[in-house]
Amino acid sequence: MTANTILVSTQTPLMRFDGEGQGGPAGADLPSHRLSPGGVCRMVLPTLANLRSQGWMKRAYWYSLQPGAPAEVDLPGDIQLRHVDMPADELKSYGRSKEKLWADIHGLPSQPFSGEDFRQYARFNARTADALLEHADELDVAYIHDFQLLQVGALLGLAAPCVLRWHVPFNPKLIPPYTRNWMLRVMEDFDAVMVSTRRDLQGLMDAGFKGKARQVYPHIEANDWPDTTPNQVAELEAKWNLKPTTTVFLLVARMDPMKRQDLAIRAFAKIHTANPDTRLVLVGNGSFSSKLGGTSKGKSEEWRNKLQWITAELGVTNAVTFAHWVPDGLLAAAYTRANAVLLTSDIEGFGLTPLEAWRYGRAPIISSGCGAAEIVTDRINGLIFPAGDEAALASAMMSILRDRAMVERVGEAGRATLPLYTASRVNPTIRDILDEAILGYDR
């Protein structure tokens, strides 16, 4: 087997240098840092580690957008992080163009948008491609992630084979025709496109995609999520003012209307009056984009304020905890303490929190609009409710209270399912796709 040099590019960086973290694997001499939350980084890092352990990967360069971060960071396993920088005014325009695409992909009302905004989207793609091309002579394959970097495939062109990992939904009926047709054109510039679900693979085919597409389910690594001790759980209960008898519903997601925390609150309010020893815990802040151009920061704060108003209106303020961002150790204790984990988005590319719930033997309650619903069998390894159906969600939550034996069975069945969705299980398919791109390339 030939060891390869791979270039990875994501908008969101693997680590955030924002003063909220601490030293770690990147070295004690670096500024305060922490691993970024969210699914992309949590999947890609174990993928690289597995590729290296199999002898497939020799070296990885990982490019992402993070102004103010160290230009280069060496990690164990021959991974070097490199950070693309953009001036603040360009970031704001880029942020608007990214939000426009995000809204179009999810069938949401379009955001204000201009040609100058798209110019900065194109400039971010060009800056990224130019950085990747610095390694053209040693590069074997580029592995590009998501809609923020759709133009990179064409910009790398004849210099290197290029594979796109598409993480968000692809439903051609939701995306405005002009945006959809542009996306198809630029996606066809990649040697292959990986989507997360059968639903999205079908969406690409229905839209007339003429390139090569494969479906690969997302994954986590159980070892990335530590076991917790009774003392850590007790500390969490004290921090969040939970009694040992309290039934806890946990929702881990950024503060964004599409995550439908409002639906979770309204469903929770339906069951709380008759079951006062219950708590809904919402973990999450805004997206990384809030650090870029300011567009998402306002959205996340506005959304949290609205959610807090809803809790007050429904009389459940004291029963809903807004936990903001929490470090991994505390989040592991939260999963351990939870009785059920909610994923309530009306539409979601996949959603890793059910896998994280399974890691701790917890029952996930999942909207049918989430890609993860494809790997859940209702009442076997999770509970599924129709997307947007408040009464059905409340009924599923009541099941957690009424049938503890079912909850235990579902959690254990989920724990048994999890090994199917780890890097070691999924990586052979990813490796085959990357190898095919390399073999088909002729400089």
Side-chain angles (χ1 to χ4, degrees), residues 304-428:
R304 182 182 286 107
N305 290 338
K306 181 174 181 178
L307 294 175
Q308 290 172 335
W309 180 85
I310 292 172
T311 63
E313 180 188 44
L314 297 175
V316 292
T317 297
N318 293 332
V320 178
T321 298
F322 289 83
H324 300 267
W325 170 81
V326 300
D328 282 355
L330 185 62
L331 185 56
Y335 277 122
T336 301
R337 178 60 183 81
N339 297 87
V341 177
L342 309 181
L343 182 60
T344 50
S345 309
D346 287 342
I347 181 172
E348 182 90 33
F350 188 77
L352 288 178
T353 53
L355 305 187
E356 293 162 6
W358 288 345
R359 160 65 180 89
Y360 293 96
R362 297 298 173 256
I365 302 177
I366 305 173
S367 159
S368 61
C370 297
E374 286 191 5
I375 65 170
V376 172
T377 302
D378 190 38
R379 307 278 168 157
I380 300 298
N381 58 0
L383 288 79
I384 300 176
F385 70 94
D389 191 329
E390 178 184 315
L393 174 56
S395 176
M397 295 168 78
M398 277 300 302
S399 298
I400 301 299
L401 294 167
R402 289 174 174 167
D403 193 345
R404 300 289 183 171
M406 180 273 293
V407 173
E408 186 73 17
R409 288 196 307 273
V410 166
E412 288 308 309
R415 198 194 299 270
T417 306
L418 181 59
L420 298 175
Y421 304 100
T422 62
S424 58
R425 186 63 178 261
V426 172
N427 257 29

Side-chain angles (χ1 to χ4, degrees), residues 229-246 248 279 281 321 323 330 333-334 337:
T229 66
N231 285 342
Q232 289 172 314
V233 173
E235 290 173 8
L236 176 79
E237 289 177 333
K239 182 179 179 66
W240 288 348
N241 194 27
L242 300 170
K243 294 185 294 184
T245 57
T246 300
V248 175
R279 180 76 62 86
V281 178
T321 298
L330 185 62
R337 178 60 183 81

Side-chain angles (χ1 to χ4, degrees), residues 171-229:
N171 183 339
K173 295 178 181 178
L174 294 180
I175 307 171
Y178 197 90
T179 302
R180 182 187 66 229
N181 293 337
W182 172 78
M183 285 180 174
L184 289 172
R185 291 197 301 271
V186 292
M187 290 170 81
E188 288 168 1
D189 287 322
F190 289 85
D191 293 272
V193 174
M194 281 187 261
V195 296
S196 295
T197 65
R198 298 190 302 273
R199 171 200 66 188
D200 300 321
L201 183 61
Q202 186 64 55
L204 273 179
M205 299 303 102
D206 290 346
F209 179 69
K210 296 180 176 63
K212 186 175 295 183
R214 297 279 297 274
Q215 184 263 318
V216 182
Y217 282 120
H219 57 83
I220 68 168
E221 280 304 294
N223 291 338
D224 290 344
W225 292 91
D227 292 326
T228 55
T229 66

